[in-house]
PDB file of all heavy atoms in Angstrom:
ATOM      1  N   LYS B1618      -0.437  20.663  -2.496  1.00  0.00           N
ATOM      2  CA  LYS B1618       0.641  20.683  -3.496  1.00  0.00           C
ATOM      3  C   LYS B1618       1.696  19.630  -3.165  1.00  0.00           C
ATOM      4  O   LYS B1618       2.252  18.994  -4.053  1.00  0.00           O
ATOM      5  CB  LYS B1618       1.283  22.079  -3.540  1.00  0.00           C
ATOM      6  CG  LYS B1618       0.341  23.141  -4.055  1.00  0.00           C
ATOM      7  CD  LYS B1618       1.078  24.128  -4.947  1.00  0.00           C
ATOM      8  CE  LYS B1618       0.137  24.944  -5.801  1.00  0.00           C
ATOM      9  NZ  LYS B1618      -0.840  25.721  -4.987  1.00  0.00           N
ATOM     10  N   ILE B1619       1.967  19.452  -1.857  1.00  0.00           N
ATOM     11  CA  ILE B1619       2.942  18.437  -1.455  1.00  0.00           C
ATOM     12  C   ILE B1619       2.448  17.057  -1.901  1.00  0.00           C
ATOM     13  O   ILE B1619       3.211  16.277  -2.482  1.00  0.00           O
ATOM     14  CB  ILE B1619       3.158  18.474   0.079  1.00  0.00           C
ATOM     15  CG1 ILE B1619       3.830  19.795   0.472  1.00  0.00           C
ATOM     16  CG2 ILE B1619       3.989  17.285   0.546  1.00  0.00           C
ATOM     17  CD1 ILE B1619       3.957  20.032   1.958  1.00  0.00           C
ATOM     18  N   MET B1620       1.184  16.796  -1.670  1.00  0.00           N
ATOM     19  CA  MET B1620       0.642  15.466  -1.978  1.00  0.00           C
ATOM     20  C   MET B1620       0.495  15.216  -3.479  1.00  0.00           C
ATOM     21  O   MET B1620       0.244  14.103  -3.897  1.00  0.00           O
ATOM     22  CB  MET B1620      -0.695  15.256  -1.264  1.00  0.00           C
ATOM     23  CG  MET B1620      -0.526  15.160   0.246  1.00  0.00           C
ATOM     24  SD  MET B1620      -2.052  14.737   1.077  1.00  0.00           S
ATOM     25  CE  MET B1620      -3.006  16.236   0.887  1.00  0.00           C
ATOM     26  N   GLN B1621       0.630  16.271  -4.273  1.00  0.00           N
ATOM     27  CA  GLN B1621       0.623  16.063  -5.732  1.00  0.00           C
ATOM     28  C   GLN B1621       2.040  16.073  -6.297  1.00  0.00           C
ATOM     29  O   GLN B1621       2.237  16.076  -7.518  1.00  0.00           O
ATOM     30  CB  GLN B1621      -0.231  17.132  -6.408  1.00  0.00           C
ATOM     31  CG  GLN B1621      -1.705  17.026  -6.018  1.00  0.00           C
ATOM     32  CD  GLN B1621      -2.513  18.225  -6.500  1.00  0.00           C
ATOM     33  OE1 GLN B1621      -2.945  18.269  -7.642  1.00  0.00           O
ATOM     34  NE2 GLN B1621      -2.684  19.194  -5.630  1.00  0.00           N
ATOM     35  N   GLY B1622       3.017  16.122  -5.392  1.00  0.00           N
ATOM     36  CA  GLY B1622       4.410  16.080  -5.835  1.00  0.00           C
ATOM     37  C   GLY B1622       4.926  17.399  -6.366  1.00  0.00           C
ATOM     38  O   GLY B1622       5.978  17.448  -6.990  1.00  0.00           O
ATOM     39  N   LEU B1623       4.213  18.498  -6.117  1.00  0.00           N
ATOM     40  CA  LEU B1623       4.612  19.793  -6.671  1.00  0.00           C
ATOM     41  C   LEU B1623       5.487  20.583  -5.702  1.00  0.00           C
ATOM     42  O   LEU B1623       6.210  21.483  -6.102  1.00  0.00           O
ATOM     43  CB  LEU B1623       3.367  20.623  -7.032  1.00  0.00           C
ATOM     44  CG  LEU B1623       2.394  19.941  -8.009  1.00  0.00           C
ATOM     45  CD1 LEU B1623       1.135  20.755  -8.177  1.00  0.00           C
ATOM     46  CD2 LEU B1623       3.063  19.696  -9.348  1.00  0.00           C
ATOM     47  N   LYS B1624       5.400  20.260  -4.420  1.00  0.00           N
ATOM     48  CA  LYS B1624       6.228  20.931  -3.410  1.00  0.00           C
ATOM     49  C   LYS B1624       6.695  19.909  -2.387  1.00  0.00           C
ATOM     50  O   LYS B1624       6.150  18.811  -2.295  1.00  0.00           O
ATOM     51  CB  LYS B1624       5.403  22.011  -2.690  1.00  0.00           C
ATOM     52  CG  LYS B1624       5.288  23.315  -3.450  1.00  0.00           C
ATOM     53  CD  LYS B1624       4.714  24.380  -2.530  1.00  0.00           C
ATOM     54  CE  LYS B1624       4.292  25.641  -3.266  1.00  0.00           C
ATOM     55  NZ  LYS B1624       5.296  26.478  -3.779  1.00  0.00           N
ATOM     56  N   LYS B1625       7.743  20.292  -1.621  1.00  0.00           N
ATOM     57  CA  LYS B1625       8.211  19.470  -0.512  1.00  0.00           C
ATOM     58  C   LYS B1625       7.835  20.193   0.794  1.00  0.00           C
ATOM     59  O   LYS B1625       7.673  21.436   0.794  1.00  0.00           O
ATOM     60  CB  LYS B1625       9.732  19.340  -0.591  1.00  0.00           C
ATOM     61  CG  LYS B1625      10.209  18.572  -1.805  1.00  0.00           C
ATOM     62  CD  LYS B1625      10.548  17.159  -1.402  1.00  0.00           C
ATOM     63  CE  LYS B1625      11.613  16.586  -2.292  1.00  0.00           C
ATOM     64  NZ  LYS B1625      12.048  15.278  -1.810  1.00  0.00           N
ATOM     65  N   PRO B1626       7.747  19.461   1.904  1.00  0.00           N
ATOM     66  CA  PRO B1626       7.343  20.116   3.155  1.00  0.00           C
ATOM     67  C   PRO B1626       8.183  21.350   3.490  1.00  0.00           C
ATOM     68  O   PRO B1626       7.636  22.371   3.934  1.00  0.00           O
ATOM     69  CB  PRO B1626       7.526  19.011   4.198  1.00  0.00           C
ATOM     70  CG  PRO B1626       7.252  17.753   3.440  1.00  0.00           C
ATOM     71  CD  PRO B1626       7.817  17.985   2.067  1.00  0.00           C
ATOM     72  N   CYS B1627       9.525  21.278   3.257  1.00  0.00           N
ATOM     73  CA  CYS B1627      10.329  22.469   3.653  1.00  0.00           C
ATOM     74  C   CYS B1627      10.057  23.665   2.740  1.00  0.00           C
ATOM     75  O   CYS B1627      10.524  24.766   3.034  1.00  0.00           O
ATOM     76  CB  CYS B1627      11.814  22.150   3.740  1.00  0.00           C
ATOM     77  SG  CYS B1627      12.302  20.517   3.303  1.00  0.00           S
ATOM     78  N   ASP B1628       9.322  23.491   1.655  1.00  0.00           N
ATOM     79  CA  ASP B1628       8.949  24.639   0.821  1.00  0.00           C
ATOM     80  C   ASP B1628       7.797  25.446   1.438  1.00  0.00           C
ATOM     81  O   ASP B1628       7.473  26.539   0.959  1.00  0.00           O
ATOM     82  CB  ASP B1628       8.480  24.174  -0.573  1.00  0.00           C
ATOM     83  CG  ASP B1628       9.564  23.425  -1.317  1.00  0.00           C
ATOM     84  OD1 ASP B1628      10.754  23.676  -1.040  1.00  0.00           O
ATOM     85  OD2 ASP B1628       9.233  22.562  -2.163  1.00  0.00           O
ATOM     86  N   CYS B1629       7.187  24.908   2.486  1.00  0.00           N
ATOM     87  CA  CYS B1629       6.041  25.598   3.091  1.00  0.00           C
ATOM     88  C   CYS B1629       6.553  26.636   4.079  1.00  0.00           C
ATOM     89  O   CYS B1629       7.379  26.345   4.940  1.00  0.00           O
ATOM     90  CB  CYS B1629       5.139  24.594   3.816  1.00  0.00           C
ATOM     91  SG  CYS B1629       3.840  25.401   4.766  1.00  0.00           S
ATOM     92  N   ALA B1630       6.033  27.861   3.956  1.00  0.00           N
ATOM     93  CA  ALA B1630       6.493  28.961   4.811  1.00  0.00           C
ATOM     94  C   ALA B1630       6.204  28.686   6.285  1.00  0.00           C
ATOM     95  O   ALA B1630       6.906  29.177   7.166  1.00  0.00           O
ATOM     96  CB  ALA B1630       5.809  30.258   4.380  1.00  0.00           C
ATOM     97  N   ALA B1631       5.191  27.887   6.558  1.00  0.00           N
ATOM     98  CA  ALA B1631       4.824  27.637   7.955  1.00  0.00           C
ATOM     99  C   ALA B1631       5.585  26.477   8.571  1.00  0.00           C
ATOM    100  O   ALA B1631       5.582  26.300   9.790  1.00  0.00           O
ATOM    101  CB  ALA B1631       3.318  27.360   8.032  1.00  0.00           C
ATOM    102  N   PHE B1632       6.283  25.702   7.745  1.00  0.00           N
ATOM    103  CA  PHE B1632       6.926  24.470   8.215  1.00  0.00           C
ATOM    104  C   PHE B1632       7.923  24.729   9.345  1.00  0.00           C
ATOM    105  O   PHE B1632       8.875  25.501   9.179  1.00  0.00           O
ATOM    106  CB  PHE B1632       7.642  23.775   7.049  1.00  0.00           C
ATOM    107  CG  PHE B1632       8.349  22.502   7.448  1.00  0.00           C
ATOM    108  CD1 PHE B1632       7.628  21.332   7.617  1.00  0.00           C
ATOM    109  CD2 PHE B1632       9.715  22.485   7.671  1.00  0.00           C
ATOM    110  CE1 PHE B1632       8.268  20.152   7.999  1.00  0.00           C
ATOM    111  CE2 PHE B1632      10.361  21.311   8.045  1.00  0.00           C
ATOM    112  CZ  PHE B1632       9.635  20.144   8.218  1.00  0.00           C
ATOM    113  N   GLY B1633       7.688  24.101  10.491  1.00  0.00           N
ATOM    114  CA  GLY B1633       8.611  24.202  11.621  1.00  0.00           C
ATOM    115  C   GLY B1633       8.536  25.530  12.356  1.00  0.00           C
ATOM    116  O   GLY B1633       9.213  25.707  13.364  1.00  0.00           O
ATOM    117  N   THR B1634       7.760  26.470  11.864  1.00  0.00           N
ATOM    118  CA  THR B1634       7.624  27.753  12.556  1.00  0.00           C
ATOM    119  C   THR B1634       6.182  27.888  13.061  1.00  0.00           C
ATOM    120  O   THR B1634       5.896  27.543  14.191  1.00  0.00           O
ATOM    121  CB  THR B1634       7.974  28.929  11.616  1.00  0.00           C
ATOM    122  OG1 THR B1634       7.213  28.805  10.404  1.00  0.00           O
ATOM    123  CG2 THR B1634       9.450  28.921  11.259  1.00  0.00           C
ATOM    124  N   LEU B1635       5.288  28.314  12.202  1.00  0.00           N
ATOM    125  CA  LEU B1635       3.868  28.366  12.577  1.00  0.00           C
ATOM    126  C   LEU B1635       3.288  26.987  12.756  1.00  0.00           C
ATOM    127  O   LEU B1635       2.383  26.767  13.545  1.00  0.00           O
ATOM    128  CB  LEU B1635       3.080  29.066  11.455  1.00  0.00           C
ATOM    129  CG  LEU B1635       2.819  30.546  11.581  1.00  0.00           C
ATOM    130  CD1 LEU B1635       1.967  30.989  10.400  1.00  0.00           C
ATOM    131  CD2 LEU B1635       2.107  30.843  12.891  1.00  0.00           C
ATOM    132  N   CYS B1636       3.802  26.038  11.967  1.00  0.00           N
ATOM    133  CA  CYS B1636       3.212  24.697  11.953  1.00  0.00           C
ATOM    134  C   CYS B1636       4.214  23.688  12.514  1.00  0.00           C
ATOM    135  O   CYS B1636       5.281  23.470  11.935  1.00  0.00           O
ATOM    136  CB  CYS B1636       2.822  24.331  10.533  1.00  0.00           C
ATOM    137  SG  CYS B1636       2.040  22.706  10.392  1.00  0.00           S
ATOM    138  N   THR B1637       3.893  23.094  13.656  1.00  0.00           N
ATOM    139  CA  THR B1637       4.731  22.061  14.280  1.00  0.00           C
ATOM    140  C   THR B1637       3.797  20.955  14.763  1.00  0.00           C
ATOM    141  O   THR B1637       2.582  21.163  14.831  1.00  0.00           O
ATOM    142  CB  THR B1637       5.488  22.623  15.508  1.00  0.00           C
ATOM    143  OG1 THR B1637       4.515  23.053  16.471  1.00  0.00           O
ATOM    144  CG2 THR B1637       6.405  23.783  15.146  1.00  0.00           C
ATOM    145  N   PRO B1638       4.348  19.790  15.147  1.00  0.00           N
ATOM    146  CA  PRO B1638       3.456  18.728  15.644  1.00  0.00           C
ATOM    147  C   PRO B1638       2.629  19.186  16.869  1.00  0.00           C
ATOM    148  O   PRO B1638       1.524  18.727  17.071  1.00  0.00           O
ATOM    149  CB  PRO B1638       4.420  17.605  16.023  1.00  0.00           C
ATOM    150  CG  PRO B1638       5.596  17.809  15.123  1.00  0.00           C
ATOM    151  CD  PRO B1638       5.736  19.300  14.985  1.00  0.00           C
ATOM    152  N   GLU B1639       3.192  20.079  17.684  1.00  0.00           N
ATOM    153  CA  GLU B1639       2.444  20.558  18.855  1.00  0.00           C
ATOM    154  C   GLU B1639       1.334  21.515  18.440  1.00  0.00           C
ATOM    155  O   GLU B1639       0.266  21.534  19.021  1.00  0.00           O
ATOM    156  CB  GLU B1639       3.366  21.282  19.850  1.00  0.00           C
ATOM    157  CG  GLU B1639       4.354  20.390  20.578  1.00  0.00           C
ATOM    158  CD  GLU B1639       5.468  19.891  19.662  1.00  0.00           C
ATOM    159  OE1 GLU B1639       5.988  20.700  18.869  1.00  0.00           O
ATOM    160  OE2 GLU B1639       5.801  18.687  19.721  1.00  0.00           O
TER     161      GLU B1639
END
Side-chain angles (χ1 to χ4, degrees):
Chain B
K1618 294 219 163 58
I1619 293 173
M1620 291 186 290
Q1621 295 170 84
L1623 304 173
K1624 279 192 192 289
K1625 294 259 209 174
C1627 3
D1628 300 333
C1629 172
F1632 179 79
T1634 52
L1635 265 183
C1636 182
T1637 61
E1639 291 72 43

